[in-house]
Amino acid sequence: MNPILVLGAGPAGLSAAAEIAELGAPTILVEREAYLGGNPKRWHYSLLAPDLRPSDEILGPLIAKVEGNPRVELHRSTTVTKAERLPKGFRVTLKTGDALETQEVSAVVLATGFDHFDSRRKFEYGYGRYPDVLDFKELEGMIHDDRVLRPSDGKPPRRIAWILCVGSRDLQVGNPWCCRMGCAVSIKQAVEIRQKHPEIDAYVYYMDIRTYGLWEDLYWKSMQEYGVKFIRGRIGQVTIAEGGSQLLATGEDTILRRPTEVPFDMIVLASGMEPGTGTQEAAALFGVPVGPEGFLTPNLSDMNPVDSGLPGVFLAGAATGPKAIPDSVTEGMGAALRAYQYARN
Amino acid sequence: MTIVAHLPQRALTLTEEESAAPPAMELTGRRRASPEERALSETIFREFHADPRYHEFVLGCLNCGECTTGCPAARFYDFSPREMLQIAETGDATTLWDALQEKIWACCQCYTCNMRCRFGNDIAGIISVMRELSVSHGVASTRKTLAPFGRSLTLLMTVGTQVSSDMIQPDFFRDWGPFATGSDRAWGVGADIMRRAIPSDVLQTTRSSWEVSVQTSLELFRIYEETGVLDMLRGLDPDLTEMLIDIIEERREEFEEARERFRTELEGMRGPVATFRG
Ligand code: SF4
Ligand code: SF4
Ligand code: SF4
């Protein structure tokens, strides 16, 4: 059997590669970056919602399963530049630096993931202009290193606001979908900060809190046990407050039905998920249809969420839409099984 | 193939049945309206929901409040564009009716809310549809609200503009803040300096901005007649409407006389002009 190609080494791709190897088939795992672990690794995610386990505890074992696995051929800093369909599978060209290599594979799993929304596009929040307006993936790194300090002056913040749905559920930027994790991750961050620094006030501005399913517990506990404050309504504009050292958040408190202006030391933006560059390239290479949102579309998203509908092409993780890590891992397993069945027959 | 693609497309035009549909609900704990008021409020409710623009402007609302953030009116009044969108969506005729009494006039039609709306609503637009309805039905409070604007209306209806640029000075706009008047130099220059930057040949023409040609006036009025604006105004202020018609009649006569003069002069030069009547 020709090896099965897995594209992308985030949670979904790692999981797929590990399971294919476990089934006994040879695997080629291709990752564009020099490291394994995808976005969680790239942005140094701290604790992962919902169980608040350190991300290394989850990614570590996944990475260990493929690294040094004799059935997994790892290609870091590598992209696929060409894919020709064969009677069974594809002939693909792998590019590492300037070196090109051609391989025949019997099936592919596309686990090309997402990119975080570039918060500069919501210019009214001043991200990229005001140093104390952070993207929440940057705060993850700060929490991970236990150095939650204002980038502008290195001082510890007294009041932090989170703004949810930045670049999600928003036709102004053309992204009407929900990111599924922004609420949980923001609340988790607020809890982590309140746990370590109870003197910091945490405010979350929201339209809806979507800590779906059992994650709701996080939302409740954040209020019950950690005193995180929730304000229903959005911030529509961030400027510099009088005096120049704080940020001024202007918005509407839609429960009290009045416009509000509140000074904060730091403002954190829950940036959404967009189809990653790798996902767009994979769609073009393998001819997988994309929806109007730009994510890959499974053939039957309810019955066969990991089948693209094209012979030998399987999908896993956030390449098909915003997804949490446990779901990505599960889909990696499903896609591994489907790809193995296809390759074996 | 997205989830949304599986949903049926929303029809842009209403069936007759739908547009005649009465208010769908009634909120409790409201003051009692008189039977006349109630009948009028229900008529307005029906017309509002049957207006084709309604379905173009009101798409849905996440209640995010971002429209309110940038709204100048919301800073000064018990008013917000989010609330107006909610009122536009309510099935309760009295709520709409109450908003027509005062709220709709707080908006200055700056369209900032539309720029902010993440759902793509035309909030400023739906507010102006509400205004149109209250004007054309001659709602008593609207008559009162608009009474001081007779002079502006007269100018708008007869010459098409009510401001000329030599009017742009603090005496005319007492609500200007210190930034605009230039008494506070935070911006470096104030309106007095900026006005001096207007090229003088432009200032020449703006002095005559109310002296439009008679054809322009007539054409403008024709538009108001054809589009129903005049009828709308009649509901609000019959006296003003009659006065406007008188003014325009005079202009029409003026125009006819001028045309006649021109014709005679032409004939004097070239003999009879058979095709001129156009
Ligand atoms: S998960 Fe929360 S933050 Fe993300 S788009 Fe949905 S509602 Fe907004
Ligand atoms: S158009 Fe009216 S409602 Fe909208 S922002 Fe301007 S004043 Fe407010
Ligand atoms: S901005 Fe749009 S979606 Fe948000 S509250 Fe206003 S009308 Fe509703």
Side-chain angles (χ1 to χ4, degrees), chain A residues 125 165 168-172 207 232-234 236-237 250-252 254 257-259 261 292-293 298-299, chain B residues 1-2 62-66 68-69 74-80 82-83 103 114-120:
Chain A
Y125 299 132
C165 314
S168 305
R169 308 176 67 198
D170 185 353
L171 273 182
Q172 293 276 350
M207 294 192 275
R232 203 207 168 283
R234 293 192 59 78
Q237 177 179 310
T250 312
E252 187 192 1
T254 60
R257 297 178 49 242
R258 288 311 301 154
E261 273 183 357
E293 297 88 354
N299 182 31
Chain B
M1 197 169 55
T2 63
L62 297 167
N63 272 303
C64 68
E66 270 174 287
T68 306
T69 304
R75 305 208 137 223
F76 299 101
Y77 307 107
D78 177 16
F79 165 90
S80 85
R82 182 180 62 82
E83 187 191 6
K103 283 215 158 130
N114 288 24
M115 301 288 104
R116 292 283 168 95
C117 181
R118 48 175 60 218
F119 213 96

Side-chain angles (χ1 to χ4, degrees), chain A residues 163-293:
Chain A
I163 304 181
L164 303 186
C165 314
V166 174
S168 305
R169 308 176 67 198
D170 185 353
L171 273 182
Q172 293 276 350
V173 295
N175 296 357
W177 58 88
C178 168
C179 76
R180 286 179 89 169
M181 51 74 206
C183 289
V185 174
S186 300
I187 295 171
K188 180 219 69 157
Q189 292 183 337
V191 166
E192 278 180 272
I193 287 178
R194 294 275 301 162
Q195 223 170 13
K196 284 200 190 116
H197 306 281
E199 73 284 359
I200 299 179
D201 290 332
Y203 291 85
V204 178
Y205 285 85
Y206 71 101
M207 294 192 275
D208 304 280
I209 294 291
R210 293 185 168 171
T211 41
Y212 58 101
L214 303 183
W215 293 20
E216 182 74 358
D217 189 43
L218 183 63
Y219 175 34
W220 286 39
K221 291 233 169 73
S222 74
M223 292 186 270
Q224 286 170 340
E225 291 171 24
Y226 298 99
V228 176
K229 308 249 179 22
F230 289 85
I231 300 175
R232 203 207 168 283
R234 293 192 59 78
I235 299 299
Q237 177 179 310
V238 176
T239 48
I240 296 289
E242 237 173 84
S245 69
Q246 276 184 311
L247 300 161
L248 190 67
T250 312
E252 187 192 1
D253 185 323
T254 60
I255 303 274
L256 299 180
R257 297 178 49 242
R258 288 311 301 154
T260 58
E261 273 183 357
V262 189
F264 286 102
D265 298 314
M266 253 162 82
I267 289 177
V268 184
L269 309 178
S271 58
M273 285 189 181
E274 289 187 325
T277 327
T279 293
Q280 291 163 30
E281 286 170 10
L285 270 173
F286 294 95
V288 181
V290 292
E293 297 88 354

Side-chain angles (χ1 to χ4, degrees), chain B residues 67-68 70-74 79-81 84 106-114 123-125 127 131:
Chain B
C67 48
T68 306
C71 172
F79 165 90
S80 85
M84 295 318 283
C107 165
C108 63
Q109 292 283 299
C110 68
Y111 276 71
T112 311
C113 47
N114 288 24
I123 314 158
I127 293 173
R131 288 179 172 186

Side-chain angles (χ1 to χ4, degrees), chain B residues 35-223:
Chain B
E36 297 78 35
E37 208 179 85
R38 208 185 154 93
L40 181 54
S41 71
E42 288 188 8
T43 308
I44 290 179
F45 181 94
R46 281 202 185 93
E47 283 181 24
F48 182 55
H49 285 268
D51 193 304
R53 288 170 297 177
Y54 180 93
H55 296 268
E56 220 173 280
F57 293 178
V58 180
L59 305 174
C61 177
L62 297 167
N63 272 303
C64 68
E66 270 174 287
C67 48
T68 306
T69 304
C71 172
R75 305 208 137 223
F76 299 101
Y77 307 107
D78 177 16
F79 165 90
S80 85
R82 182 180 62 82
E83 187 191 6
M84 295 318 283
L85 211 278
Q86 291 300 308
I87 290 169
E89 287 192 315
T90 180
D92 175 52
T94 314
T95 302
L96 178 65
W97 172 257
D98 286 351
L100 298 188
Q101 305 315 310
E102 197 177 14
K103 283 215 158 130
I104 49 168
W105 302 104
C107 165
C108 63
Q109 292 283 299
C110 68
Y111 276 71
T112 311
C113 47
N114 288 24
M115 301 288 104
R116 292 283 168 95
C117 181
R118 48 175 60 218
F119 213 96
N121 291 318
D122 185 344
I123 314 158
I126 203 65
I127 293 173
S128 78
V129 174
M130 292 181 192
R131 288 179 172 186
E132 273 178 38
L133 281 168
S134 59
V135 168
S136 56
H137 283 280
V139 173
S141 61
T142 299
R143 229 179 265 173
K144 217 169 108 195
T145 308
L146 295 187
F149 295 96
R151 191 181 121 86
S152 307
L153 259 179
T154 310
L155 278 169
L156 273 178
M157 302 281 289
T158 52
V159 300
T161 174
Q162 52 136 340
V163 191
S164 65
S165 58
D166 49 351
M167 278 171 70
I168 303 181
Q169 44 185 299
D171 285 352
F172 284 84
F173 297 94
R174 297 193 174 272
D175 52 344
W176 275 2
F179 282 154
T181 51
S183 60
D184 182 315
R185 294 287 157 175
W187 283 4
V189 291
D192 49 346
I193 309 264
M194 293 211 244
R195 262 173 44 76
R196 266 179 246 155
I198 300 175
S200 55
D201 50 341
V202 176
L203 272 176
Q204 294 291 343
T205 55
T206 55
R207 275 205 198 98
S208 54
S209 52
W210 291 344
E211 294 162 17
V212 298
S213 78
V214 68
Q215 287 100 320
T216 305
S217 272
L218 293 181
E219 211 169 296
L220 198 61
F221 211 72
R222 182 81 188 269
I223 293 172

